[in-house]
Amino acid sequence: MSLESYMNQVGLQARFASRLLAKASTQQKNSALFAMAEALEQARPRLIEENAKDIKNGEEKGLDAALLDRLLLDDARINGMIEGLKQVASLPDPIGEISDMVYLPSGIQRGQMRVPLGVIGIIYESRPNVTIDAASLCLKSGNATILRGGSEAFYSNQAIAQAVTAGIVEAGLPENAVQVLNTTDRDAVGKLITMPEFVDVIVPRGGKGLIERISKDARVPVIKHLDGNCHVYIDNEADLEKAFAIAMNAKTRRYGVCNAMESLLIHETIVNKILPKLAAAYQEKGVALVGCESARAVCPDIDVATEEDWYTEYLAPKLSIKVVSDMAQAIAHINQYGSHHTDAIVTNNYVKTRAFMTEVDSSSVMVNASTSFADGFEYGFGAEIGISTDKIHARGPVGLLGLTSQKYIVLGDGHTRDN
Amino acid sequence: MSLESYMNQVGLQARFASRLLAKASTQQKNSALFAMAEALEQARPRLIEENAKDIKNGEEKGLDAALLDRLLLDDARINGMIEGLKQVASLPDPIGEISDMVYLPSGIQRGQMRVPLGVIGIIYESRPNVTIDAASLCLKSGNATILRGGSEAFYSNQAIAQAVTAGIVEAGLPENAVQVLNTTDRDAVGKLITMPEFVDVIVPRGGKGLIERISKDARVPVIKHLDGNCHVYIDNEADLEKAFAIAMNAKTRRYGVCNAMESLLIHETIVNKILPKLAAAYQEKGVALVGCESARAVCPDIDVATEEDWYTEYLAPKLSIKVVSDMAQAIAHINQYGSHHTDAIVTNNYVKTRAFMTEVDSSSVMVNASTSFADGFEYGFGAEIGISTDKIHARGPVGLLGLTSQKYIVLGDGHTRDN
C-alpha cells in the first residue's frame, strides 16, 4: 500500500472511531483505561524486549546517553505508565457538560454542550511513555488519536500500541480509537498535518525546531508550545523576603523547564538591598549571571548582558538581570522580550497588581508567586497535555478541557423565526 | 516604500496600539464608538462622494447589478453604520472578566482573566459597511484591527477609515487602533496572513473561494466560515404541525443564508402523511425539489437527487429530500454529507433528543426549532462577526467573546513550589 493510501485509511478509521467515542459513556472510557493498564501489565516482558531493540539500534546509531535514557523502558517506567492510566480514569469526564442554557426573546432556549474535538494527531520525539500519556488523555476526552512517535522508539511504540488496542477492544470501544503509525517514513508527518478532512487538531510535543516546522506546514490547527522566557519583576514595594524566596525558586527549582525564570527585573530603588544577597545565593548554586550596567554597578562580578540575552530561554543555570526605573518599564520589557508564557510581579501595592495582571500579555500572570506554578497539575487539572503559547483556543497549561470544544444546542417547541 | 516595509510598519503600529487598547477602559472604548458615529455623520457628504468614484469605476469595469448594489453607500446605509456603532457601544464589555478563581492545595489562588486576542486582520469583499462592523466589534473587545477590503470599494473604505480614525483619536485611543490598508496590491493579503509576529488571528469574510485560499496560505490562526449545508430531520414521533412549520421556515425564510435548510430528512413511517403537503407548499413558493427514490415514490414530481445533491449548499430555492428508516440513519447522513453547521430534529421522544444532540457533530444542534435561529443576534450576543465552522476556539455564531481569549492569573503571598 502506498503511504498516501495508508494515511488515508488511518484517517478514515480515526474519523469513524471518533463518532463512536463521542457517544461513549464515562464508564466505558474508564473501563478502557483500566483495561489498557492491565494489558500493559501483561505485556511487560514483551515491552522490555521490544524496547531493547530500540536501545540497541540507538546505540549503533550513536545516540547520546541522554537520548538513550529518554528512550529506555524499565519496570519503573512501565509502572509509571500504568499509574498514569489509572489517574486519568479518576479525572472527571468533561464531555456532555451543558452550560449557560438560557431563554431568549424568541422563546428558544440556547446553551452550550462540551464535546470532543474529534481526531487529534500527536507528533512527538522519542520518549515512549508519551504514547500512553497522550492516548489516555485523548481517549478520556472522547477523541480518536493518531500517534506518530520518534523513529528511535519505533519498536517500543508498536508494542505499547498493541497493548493499548487490546485494552480498548476489551472495553467495547472501537479498535481504531488510538492508532500508532506503523511507518518511520518522514512523509507520514507531512501527510498527517495536511489532512483536515480526517484530523481536527495537531499537538506536537518536542523541541522548538520540530514545533516550528509543523506549525509552518500544517493545514490543521496546531496546539503548540514554543518557548518559555519567563520573568519575575521585584517591585520597590515588594516584601523583600518573599521576593528573595520567589526569585530563587523560580530560577533554581529546575533549570530545564519552560516555567523557569530566565530574566529577573528589579526596581532601581531596592536593587542595593536585594541584588547582592540574591547574586551571592545564585552563585552559590552555580547560576551564571549576566546583567545591565546598573546591575553590574551593584554587583561587578555579573557579566555583561547582550541584547540577545533578553530574548533567550536558557533552560540552564544562567540568568539575565535588569534594573528598571518603574513597573511600566518592567511591563514593556516583558511584553517586548518575553515569550508570553509566564511572568510574575512581587509587590504589596494593590494598584500595581491590577495593572500588571491586565497589561502583561502572557498565558499566566502571577502576583507574589513563583513562575514554577505554571503547570497543569499545580493548576488543578489533574493532567497536562502541554502548555500552549497560542492565543486562540487554549492558552497556558492544557488539561482535558483543552482537548474539547463547545457546540451550541437549541431547544424549542416548534419555534420558527419571523424576521 | 516597498509593500514589505509598508506591511511591517502597519503590523508594528497595530501591535503597539493593541497594548494600549488592552488596558483601555470600557468608557474610553464606548466614547470612541460614539465619536466614530459622530465622525461618520460629519463625513456623510464625503462618504457619498468617494463612494460615487467606486461605483463609477465598478460600472466601467462592468460589475453586475448585484455587486454594484452591495457596493453602494446611500443615506440609509450610512444610518445603518451609525446605528451599528451605537449598538456595539451598548453591549457589555467582555474584557477583564475574572472567573473560576479557586484556592489550590499549594495555597495559590488560580483563575482566568478574559483578554483581547491582540491584533485581528479582517479580509473582506466589497461591502463597505463591513469596515465599520468589523472595526467596532474588534475595538469593543480591545483588539487592534488591520482591515483589507475589496479593491472595488477602495475609495469608500479610505473615507470610512478617516472617519473611524478621527473618532478614535478624539476619544484618546491610539490612532492605529483601526488601520485600513491603503493599497489594492494583492500581495498585501499574502503578507497580512503570514506575519504572526504582528497579527494574532485572521477573520476572512466573503465567498468560499476566498476563505479556502486564505486558510490554505495563512500562517496565523483563521476563524473561518465555510459552508452551511443544514438539515432538518422529521422523526416518526414528531408533532407533524410543528414539523411542517419548521421545515417551511428553515427553507423559505431566506434562501441565500448559511443557516437555511438544504436537505430534509423524513422518517419512512410518516412520509406519506407529511411529504405531499410539504411538497405542495414548497412548490407553491417556487422551491425546486430533488429526492431519493422513496421520496419520489410518494411524490412523483420530485426530481432525482444525485450523490452530489446531498453535499450541496444551494443557497437558492432548491431542496433535497431523503427518506430514512430511523434516526441513526439520519444522524449518519448528516455527519457524512453535512457541513457541521446547523442541524435540527423534530420529535417528541426524550431519548432521541438526547442522542441527536450528542451524536450530531455540528456547531449548532437544535430540537424542535428552525435552523434559522443559528445567528449571533438570535443567540443573544447582540452582534456577530461571523459563524465559525471551525472546531477549535469559537464554534458557531461568533460574537464579542469569540474575539477574546483567557489567560491564567495566579495570586499568592510569597508562594514557592517545593516538588
Side-chain angles (χ1 to χ4, degrees):
Chain A
M1 196 187 316
S2 73
L3 180 70
E4 178 86 13
S5 313
Y6 169 66
M7 291 301 294
N8 281 332
Q9 185 193 316
V10 167
L12 200 62
Q13 288 172 173
R15 179 61 74 208
F16 183 79
S18 77
R19 302 263 176 250
L20 300 173
L21 279 174
K23 61 177 177 174
S25 69
T26 306
Q27 201 202 337
Q28 275 180 305
K29 292 184 283 189
N30 289 345
S31 300
L33 292 166
F34 283 115
M36 281 157 68
E38 181 55 35
L40 278 184
E41 186 62 61
Q42 299 290 334
R44 205 183 269 267
R46 190 172 145 71
L47 292 177
I48 289 174
E49 211 176 283
E50 294 297 303
N51 181 249
K53 291 187 198 169
D54 287 328
I55 295 287
K56 183 156 169 288
N57 288 341
E59 284 167 346
E60 283 169 12
K61 271 200 246 167
L63 295 189
D64 69 30
L67 270 177
L68 286 172
D69 178 63
R70 287 169 63 198
L71 198 51
L72 184 72
L73 275 188
D74 55 16
D75 270 319
R77 289 194 179 163
I78 295 172
N79 290 346
M81 294 195 291
I82 291 171
E83 195 44 48
L85 285 165
K86 292 176 182 170
Q87 275 173 18
V88 173
S90 74
L91 294 176
D93 185 348
I95 298 303
E97 174 214 35
I98 293 175
S99 58
D100 203 21
M101 202 82 205
V102 295
Y103 280 99
L104 290 160
S106 62
I108 62 167
Q109 207 180 353
R110 179 271 299 149
Q112 285 185 292
M113 180 189 280
R114 195 165 287 283
V115 293
L117 291 173
V119 177
I120 300 180
I122 316 250
I123 299 161
Y124 53 104
E125 290 173 345
S126 40
R127 284 192 319 167
N129 62 315
V130 172
T131 308
I132 287 295
D133 222 32
S136 60
L137 291 173
C138 291
L139 185 94
K140 179 77 182 217
S141 51
N143 295 286
T145 328
I146 302 174
L147 292 151
R148 158 68 187 226
S151 56
E152 300 83 358
F154 182 75
Y155 290 104
S156 313
N157 285 336
Q158 294 299 319
I160 294 173
Q162 282 186 16
V164 163
T165 302
I168 288 169
V169 169
E170 195 186 314
L173 289 180
E175 61 172 329
N176 294 313
V178 177
Q179 296 178 85
V180 176
L181 294 187
N182 70 15
T183 168
T184 56
D185 190 334
R186 280 176 178 271
D187 291 342
V189 173
K191 178 71 182 159
L192 182 61
I193 64 178
T194 53
M195 41 185 213
E197 64 281 28
F198 298 130
V199 176
D200 295 296
V201 62
I202 292 285
V203 182
R205 289 181 55 160
K208 198 178 169 184
L210 171 81
I211 294 172
E212 280 181 337
R213 225 163 39 241
I214 286 171
S215 307
K216 186 166 168 296
D217 296 333
R219 293 216 27 221
V220 174
V222 178
I223 297 178
K224 64 177 170 295
H225 170 217
L226 293 170
D227 27 3
N229 180 13
C230 304
H231 298 73
V232 172
Y233 162 59
I234 304 179
D235 184 55
N236 58 322
E237 296 177 74
D239 175 314
L240 293 188
E241 273 185 43
K242 290 175 187 170
F244 180 86
I246 287 169
M248 289 307 295
N249 185 256
K251 183 69 227 178
T252 68
R253 179 186 152 269
R254 284 175 67 190
Y255 297 113
V257 292
C258 63
N259 58 23
M261 169 179 67
E262 306 289 9
S263 259
L264 176 63
L265 308 176
I266 306 179
H267 192 285
E268 61 182 12
T269 63
I270 51 149
V271 66
N272 279 308
K273 276 195 242 170
I274 192 162
L275 184 54
K277 200 178 146 204
L278 267 173
Y282 283 132
Q283 282 155 351
E284 196 177 316
K285 293 221 174 211
V287 177
L289 303 178
V290 297
C292 66
E293 282 316 307
S294 309
R296 298 183 68 236
V298 177
C299 297
D301 54 348
I302 293 177
D303 281 332
V304 177
T306 63
E307 177 75 1
E308 188 57 26
D309 274 304
W310 309 120
Y311 285 110
T312 304
E313 179 186 24
Y314 299 118
L315 294 173
K318 185 169 179 184
L319 178 70
S320 59
I321 301 174
K322 186 182 168 73
V323 177
V324 295
S325 54
D326 56 20
M327 184 182 71
Q329 202 192 339
I331 293 173
H333 179 96
I334 291 169
N335 284 339
Q336 181 181 345
Y337 293 98
S339 65
H340 312 289
H341 189 296
T342 299
D343 300 287
I345 186 174
V346 188
T347 189
N348 283 333
N349 181 301
Y350 162 81
V351 177
K352 287 179 185 167
T353 62
R354 296 224 315 162
F356 191 86
M357 284 194 290
T358 300
E359 295 176 30
V360 170
D361 183 20
S362 297
S363 71
S364 287
V365 184
M366 304 194 169
V367 176
N368 294 342
S370 166
T371 55
S372 305
F373 286 109
D375 171 284
F377 293 91
E378 290 295 329
Y379 281 8
F381 305 157
E384 184 185 284
I385 191 96
I387 294 187
S388 162
T389 55
D390 294 322
K391 280 190 164 180
I392 74 159
H393 190 64
R395 198 177 181 195
V398 180
L400 284 179
L401 279 191
L403 301 177
T404 68
S405 179
Q406 287 179 299
K407 67 183 178 194
Y408 287 99
I409 53 176
V410 170
L411 304 182
D413 190 23
H415 285 79
T416 57
R417 184 170 167 192
D418 295 332
N419 55 6
Chain B
M1 195 187 312
S2 72
L3 180 71
E4 178 86 12
S5 313
Y6 169 66
M7 292 302 293
N8 281 332
Q9 186 192 314
V10 168
L12 201 60
Q13 288 172 172
R15 178 60 75 207
F16 183 78
S18 76
R19 301 264 177 251
L20 300 173
L21 279 174
K23 60 177 176 173
S25 69
T26 304
Q27 202 202 336
Q28 275 180 306
K29 293 185 284 189
N30 289 345
S31 299
L33 292 166
F34 283 115
M36 282 158 67
E38 181 55 37
L40 278 184
E41 186 62 60
Q42 299 291 334
R44 204 182 271 266
R46 191 173 144 69
L47 291 177
I48 288 174
E49 212 176 283
E50 294 297 302
N51 181 249
K53 292 187 197 168
D54 287 328
I55 295 285
K56 185 158 168 287
N57 288 341
E59 284 169 347
E60 283 170 12
K61 271 200 246 166
L63 296 189
D64 69 31
L67 270 177
L68 286 171
D69 178 63
R70 286 170 62 197
L71 197 51
L72 183 72
L73 274 188
D74 55 17
D75 270 318
R77 288 195 179 164
I78 294 172
N79 290 345
M81 294 195 292
I82 291 171
E83 197 42 49
L85 285 165
K86 293 177 182 170
Q87 276 174 17
V88 173
S90 74
L91 294 176
D93 185 348
I95 298 303
E97 174 214 36
I98 292 175
S99 58
D100 203 19
M101 201 81 205
V102 295
Y103 280 98
L104 290 162
S106 62
I108 62 168
Q109 207 181 353
R110 178 271 300 150
Q112 285 186 291
M113 179 189 281
R114 195 165 286 283
V115 294
L117 291 174
V119 177
I120 300 180
I122 316 248
I123 297 161
Y124 54 104
E125 290 173 344
S126 41
R127 284 192 320 166
N129 62 314
V130 172
T131 308
I132 287 294
D133 222 34
S136 60
L137 292 173
C138 291
L139 185 95
K140 179 78 182 218
S141 51
N143 294 287
T145 326
I146 302 174
L147 291 150
R148 159 66 187 226
S151 56
E152 301 83 0
F154 182 76
Y155 291 103
S156 313
N157 285 336
Q158 294 300 318
I160 293 172
Q162 282 185 16
V164 163
T165 302
I168 287 170
V169 169
E170 195 187 315
L173 289 181
E175 61 171 332
N176 294 312
V178 176
Q179 295 178 86
V180 176
L181 294 187
N182 69 15
T183 168
T184 56
D185 190 335
R186 279 174 178 272
D187 291 342
V189 173
K191 177 72 182 158
L192 182 61
I193 64 177
T194 53
M195 41 186 214
E197 63 280 27
F198 299 129
V199 176
D200 295 296
V201 61
I202 293 284
V203 182
R205 289 181 55 160
K208 197 178 168 182
L210 171 81
I211 295 172
E212 281 181 338
R213 225 163 39 241
I214 286 171
S215 308
K216 188 168 167 294
D217 296 333
R219 293 213 30 218
V220 175
V222 178
I223 297 178
K224 66 176 169 295
H225 170 216
L226 293 171
D227 29 3
N229 180 12
C230 304
H231 298 74
V232 172
Y233 163 59
I234 304 179
D235 184 55
N236 58 321
E237 296 178 73
D239 174 316
L240 293 188
E241 274 185 41
K242 291 174 187 167
F244 180 86
I246 288 169
M248 289 308 294
N249 185 255
K251 182 70 228 176
T252 68
R253 179 185 150 269
R254 284 174 66 190
Y255 297 112
V257 292
C258 63
N259 58 23
M261 170 179 68
E262 306 289 10
S263 259
L264 176 63
L265 309 176
I266 306 178
H267 192 285
E268 61 182 11
T269 63
I270 52 150
V271 66
N272 279 307
K273 277 195 242 171
I274 192 163
L275 183 54
K277 200 179 147 202
L278 268 172
Y282 283 131
Q283 282 156 351
E284 196 176 315
K285 294 223 174 208
V287 177
L289 303 179
V290 297
C292 66
E293 282 315 307
S294 308
R296 298 182 70 237
V298 178
C299 297
D301 53 349
I302 294 177
D303 280 333
V304 178
T306 64
E307 177 75 1
E308 188 58 26
D309 275 302
W310 308 120
Y311 285 110
T312 303
E313 179 186 25
Y314 299 118
L315 293 172
K318 185 170 179 184
L319 177 71
S320 59
I321 301 174
K322 186 181 167 74
V323 177
V324 295
S325 55
D326 56 20
M327 184 182 70
Q329 203 192 340
I331 293 173
H333 179 96
I334 291 169
N335 285 338
Q336 181 180 347
Y337 293 98
S339 65
H340 312 290
H341 188 295
T342 300
D343 300 288
I345 186 174
V346 187
T347 189
N348 283 333
N349 181 301
Y350 162 81
V351 177
K352 287 179 185 167
T353 62
R354 297 225 314 163
F356 191 86
M357 286 194 290
T358 301
E359 295 176 31
V360 170
D361 183 21
S362 298
S363 71
S364 288
V365 184
M366 305 193 168
V367 176
N368 293 342
S370 167
T371 55
S372 305
F373 286 109
D375 172 283
F377 294 91
E378 290 295 329
Y379 281 7
F381 306 157
E384 183 185 286
I385 191 96
I387 294 186
S388 162
T389 55
D390 294 323
K391 280 190 165 181
I392 74 159
H393 189 64
R395 197 177 182 194
V398 180
L400 285 177
L401 279 190
L403 302 177
T404 68
S405 180
Q406 287 179 298
K407 68 183 178 193
Y408 287 100
I409 53 177
V410 170
L411 304 181
D413 190 24
H415 285 79
T416 56
R417 184 171 168 191
D418 296 331
N419 56 4

